[in-house]
Amino acid sequence: MALAVLTAAGSGNRLGCEGPKALVELAGRTLLERAAEGLADAGVAALVVTAPEHDLEDFRRVLPGHVPTAPHVPVVLVAGGASRQASVAAGLEALPEAAALAGVDLGEDTPVLVHDAARCLTPPEVVARVVTAIEQGSLAVVPGLPVTDTLKEVAPESSQVGPAVLGHETLAGARPGGTPAGSTEARLPGEACDGDTHPEVRRVVGTPDRSHLWAVQTPQGFRWSVLLRAHEHGRDLAASESTAATDDAALVEALGLPVDMVRGDVLALKVTTRTDLLLAELLVARRPT
Ligand code: CTP
Ligand code: MG
């Protein structure tokens, strides 16, 4: 029997909503309800849900101690932390309580999922694939899809983008803010001059081989003992989103333990921006019932 931490304590800055993102409605139902029900539909026995500290009461109205459509699935609400990683760590502390409410024996090998409420349309089949992989011997499993875009590595925002240099010629005028077109002034690559900084232009420094790259989704699944160890080991990173791990599997990788990949689904998209919300609305409208 799998258990889950459902992360919902974010504020949704990039969505630009009033109040927490998890309480935003998608075709009449909150992201939070949809995500919790998806986990329950997939057979998850109990949930710990992370909520913003000041919104715990609103969350309790949506999830009154259990998943609304699955009263046999208990929900324990906890206040989240300063980063997603910190929220998951807070959720893990409450997992024994959730397991006890569901009558599940929480052992070292029990499959534990960590899922983003923002991925509220994740099909139960994806959840099942992750749980099955853990039950069949994986220590940690992530769902994902091969990337379809070509990806570029870019230089840090702080680095200046100067005019491109081709041989001895300066390709001035090829980008906004550069030396005026027609200038013959040559420059060495990386050599800065006044007015070269152009905040909207970043220099490409590499093109990774796309055939090895997958975009990762949630729920991610772990053996309970592995997830606990990974979070204990990475604890010092959790204080701020700028240092925190962006997914739990990265904390397992940092322990030197293997992480496996199973196929995700386009429906497991993360609602991050307005465009994502619009896309999710279209997907819900077209979903067979
Ligand atoms: N999350 C959390 N605790 C935090 C930050 C995020 O539980 N301190 C949760 C979010 O509620 C979300 C998931 O982690 O379900 C993924 O985070 P993200 O999509 O970044 O959501 P937000 O942090 O809310 O959005 P933003 O970064 O745009 O503010
Ligand atoms: Mg965030």
Side-chain angles (χ1 to χ4, degrees), residues 91-113:
L92 296 183
E93 281 182 34
L95 207 72
E97 182 190 341
L101 287 171
V104 171
D105 185 17
L106 182 58
E108 288 201 348
D109 297 341
T110 302
V112 176
L113 306 174

Side-chain angles (χ1 to χ4, degrees), residues 31 43 80 82 105 135 144 165 181 184 188 192 196-197 219-220 229 243:
L31 306 189
D105 185 17
E135 288 172 344
V165 173
T184 53
L188 290 171
D196 269 348
T197 307
Q220 301 190 348
R229 257 180 71 198
T243 52

